[in-house]
Amino acid sequence: MIIMKFGGTSLGTAESIQNVFRIVRDRVDQDPVLVVSAHAGVTNSLVEIARTAPGGDADVSEIEDLHHRLLQDLDLPVALLDEQLGEMADLVQGMKLVSEASPRVRDLLLSFGERCSARVVAAYFNQQGLPAQAVDAFEVGLRTDSNFGRARPVADDGRIAKNMSKLEGIPILTGFLGQDADGNITTLGRNGSDFSAALFGNALDAAEIQIWTDVDGVMTADPRLVEGARPIPFMSFGEASELAYYGGKVLHPATILPAIEKSIPVRVLNTHNPDNPGTVILPVYDESSSPVRAVVHKKDIHLITLVSPPMLQQHGFLAKVFRIAEAHEVDVDLVATSEVSITMTADRADHLPAFCEELGELGEVSVEPDHALICVVGQGIAHTHGIAAQVLGTLFEAGVHVRVISQGAIKVNIGLVIQQVDLKKAVTALHSHFF
Ligand code: ASP
Ligand code: MG
C-alpha cells in the first residue's frame, strides 16, 4: 500500500477536493491510504477561537459556514458534520463559560478541523462510487505523550496495523492528531500532518509515502533567481535535511524520520501536475548519482567578525560566543575560526545590536550587512575529488569574491558567504556549472 497525504490547500475548495478524488482514483490499484489536513484556513481559525474564547467573544459561525459551503458545493448532505460541528460549538461555549483554554482543551478544539475534513473527503469519495471511510487517528491507535500542542508519538506495537486491517474501503485518516495514555486527543504541532503520514507509513509498512503539495517537488535552485532551475528527481535524506533549511520548505526533514527508520521512500508531488514524478527522498544514498544536488541560498545575512588576541590557546572561548548567541536568539548558520578570530553569519538583524554589544566584551567586533549565504548541497561532495576547487574556480571566473568558506567533515554541503550584490551572478554560474 501507499500513503497519500493531502494538505489543507489541496482540500480548500470543492474543485480541489474533486481534483484529489481524481488523483486517488487513478491510483487505487496501489492500495492508497489517505492522510488529510483540515481544510485550508480552518486550523488557523480554531487557533484564534482558542485564544479568544476565554475572553468571551469567540465565534464559530465562520468555521460552520466554511464547512456548510463545501458540503453544498460537493452536493453532499449539509447535515453531514452536524455531530462534529455541534460538539465543537458546545466546547467553545464551555470555554467561554469557564474563561479557560487549557492546552488539553485547545488540542481537543483543534482536532475538529481534521475530523471534519476526513469526513467530507470520505463522503465525497463514496458519492463518486469509490468506497472510503473516515478514520480518526486516535481511534486506530496513534498514541502520543501528553505534551499537548506538540505531542510526541510513543512506539507503535502493531496495534495500528491490526486496527486498520478491519476497515473497509479507502481509509481517510486524520492527520495532525493522536491520543495520550489517558484517552485525551493530542496534536503533533502545526503542520503535523506530514509527520502523521510518516508515522502511518511506518506502522503500515507502506511501499511509498506521498506528500501532495502545490509544487513540482524540490528545485535545484530558486527558480526566481536562476532560469534553468528544475525539479530534483531524487535525493538522500541527508540532502533533504540541508535543503529544507534553505527555502526548500516543501518538507520538514524531522517529520519523515519514521519513514527513514523503515527505509520507506518519501515522494513530494504536485496536485496541479499529478503526472510529474516530483522529488523522491530515498533512505539510502545512491553513489552513482551526480555529486551535487542543488545550489541554494539565503539572503540578508550579516557577517560578524570577532577578533580577540586572548582567544589564542584559550579553551571555552567558542562556548562563550555561542552562549551569547543563544541568549540573544541569534541563529548562527556558518562559522569559520582562526587562532585569533571567529567569523560567523547571523540573520536576525533586530537582535544584532544587543548581541554585538555583549560580544564586544570578548574582543573587537565588526558587522558587515548585505551579504548572502550560498550552499552547494550534495552527498556526493564527500566522495568526489575537487568539488570545492570547482566551486571556487567557477566563482573566480564569474568575478565573485568569496568572503568566507566552510565545509564540514561530513561534506554534505559547501557553504560560502559573498556580497549580496553578487548573488544572482554567483548562483547562476554555479548552477550552470553543476547542472
Ligand atoms: N491542520 C494542521 C495545521 O494547519 C496540520 C497540518 O496542516 O499539517 O497545522
Ligand atoms: Mg500544511
Side-chain angles (χ1 to χ4, degrees):
M1 49 78 59
I2 59 170
I3 300 279
M4 300 177 80
K5 180 261 169 176
F6 293 94
T9 46
S10 304
L11 303 166
T13 62
E15 292 79 55
S16 47
I17 294 169
Q18 286 157 344
N19 184 40
V20 164
F21 167 74
R22 284 187 296 269
I23 291 172
V24 177
R25 182 193 56 197
D26 293 347
R27 288 160 183 79
V28 245
D29 54 335
Q30 296 178 63
D31 226 346
V33 168
L34 266 64
V35 174
V36 298
S37 296
H39 302 294
V42 171
T43 307
N44 284 343
S45 301
L46 289 168
V47 167
E48 185 56 17
I49 289 176
R51 196 181 65 79
T52 50
D57 49 25
D59 183 9
V60 293
S61 62
E62 193 191 317
I63 291 187
E64 290 170 342
D65 293 349
L66 181 147
H67 287 98
H68 287 147
R69 218 175 310 122
L70 275 175
L71 291 170
Q72 267 163 10
D73 292 349
L74 290 168
D75 271 327
L76 292 169
V78 182
L80 184 86
L81 299 171
D82 278 1
E83 191 187 320
Q84 288 73 28
L85 293 175
E87 260 183 62
M88 177 191 74
D90 288 348
L91 178 63
V92 173
Q93 193 54 35
M95 290 162 79
K96 286 183 183 172
L97 282 173
V98 298
S99 308
E100 215 178 274
S102 69
R104 184 178 71 89
V105 168
R106 187 174 179 273
D107 272 10
L108 177 59
L109 179 64
L110 295 191
S111 75
F112 287 102
E114 271 71 12
R115 287 156 84 178
C116 288
S117 70
R119 282 160 178 83
V120 171
V121 172
Y124 182 71
F125 279 29
N126 283 313
Q127 180 212 66
Q128 294 298 307
L130 199 59
Q133 188 177 342
V135 184
D136 292 320
F138 47 88
E139 294 291 353
V140 287
L142 201 155
R143 297 272 162 76
T144 70
D145 60 18
S146 303
N147 190 1
F148 298 104
R150 229 194 142 58
R152 295 299 88 184
V154 298
D156 172 53
D157 53 7
R159 64 183 171 267
I160 292 181
K162 196 170 131 237
N163 290 334
M164 289 194 58
S165 67
K166 298 174 201 143
L167 301 174
E168 310 237 338
I170 299 177
I172 316 289
L173 285 158
T174 56
F176 188 44
L177 309 179
Q179 185 178 45
D180 74 2
D182 299 324
N184 298 303
I185 293 178
T186 55
T187 66
L188 301 172
R190 291 308 305 270
N191 298 315
S193 296
D194 291 347
F195 195 29
S196 303
L199 290 168
F200 280 112
N202 179 309
L204 301 173
D205 272 319
E208 182 169 285
I209 296 166
Q210 302 182 342
I211 306 291
W212 289 83
T213 61
D214 47 13
V215 290
D216 280 333
V218 187
M219 306 290 282
T220 51
D222 185 343
R224 288 166 299 185
L225 201 69
V226 179
E227 240 172 71
R230 53 173 190 259
I232 303 171
F234 59 87
M235 62 174 139
S236 71
F237 178 69
E239 290 168 340
S241 309
E242 286 289 342
L243 283 172
Y245 177 71
Y246 294 91
K249 286 197 188 69
V250 207
L251 203 65
H252 194 292
T255 62
I256 62 168
L257 278 174
I260 301 302
E261 201 183 287
K262 281 237 177 134
S263 294
I264 303 169
V266 177
R267 191 180 292 275
V268 178
L269 289 145
N270 188 353
T271 49
H272 307 303
N273 189 12
D275 294 325
N276 187 294
T279 299
V280 61
I281 300 162
L282 300 167
V284 286
Y285 172 67
D286 174 4
E287 300 227 357
S288 65
S289 67
S290 62
V292 172
R293 201 64 70 222
V295 181
V296 288
H297 70 271
K298 212 171 152 186
K299 286 204 288 199
D300 299 321
I301 292 292
H302 291 73
L303 201 55
I304 299 171
T305 304
L306 169 66
V307 181
S308 175
M311 179 180 168
L312 198 63
Q313 310 205 320
Q314 193 191 338
H315 64 84
F317 183 80
L318 290 178
K320 278 183 209 151
V321 171
F322 288 118
R323 222 171 286 132
I324 298 173
E326 154 93 52
H328 292 276
E329 289 169 35
V330 167
D331 207 354
V332 174
D333 293 322
L334 182 146
V335 202
T337 64
S338 78
E339 279 301 313
V340 292
S341 73
I342 166 167
T343 300
M344 59 201 143
T345 62
D347 61 352
R348 291 292 298 267
D350 49 338
H351 291 201
L352 285 188
F355 171 58
C356 291
E357 194 185 315
E358 198 174 339
L359 213 53
E361 291 166 19
L362 301 178
E364 199 177 309
V365 180
S366 66
V367 181
E368 298 169 80
D370 302 323
H371 280 72
L373 185 57
I374 296 183
C375 196
V376 179
V377 179
Q379 205 152 332
I381 293 173
H383 314 283
T384 317
H385 195 64
I387 300 285
Q390 289 178 46
V391 167
L392 293 176
T394 303
L395 292 177
F396 172 73
E397 272 160 36
V400 176
H401 180 50
V402 176
R403 296 293 318 278
V404 190
I405 175 159
S406 141
Q407 178 183 295
I410 60 162
K411 294 190 190 166
V412 174
N413 66 64
I414 296 175
L416 306 144
V417 180
I418 58 162
Q419 289 194 315
Q420 188 137 303
V421 285
D422 289 335
L423 182 64
K424 189 178 168 72
K425 196 161 71 173
V427 178
T428 305
L430 289 169
H431 190 269
S432 56
H433 176 83
F434 287 111
F435 297 94

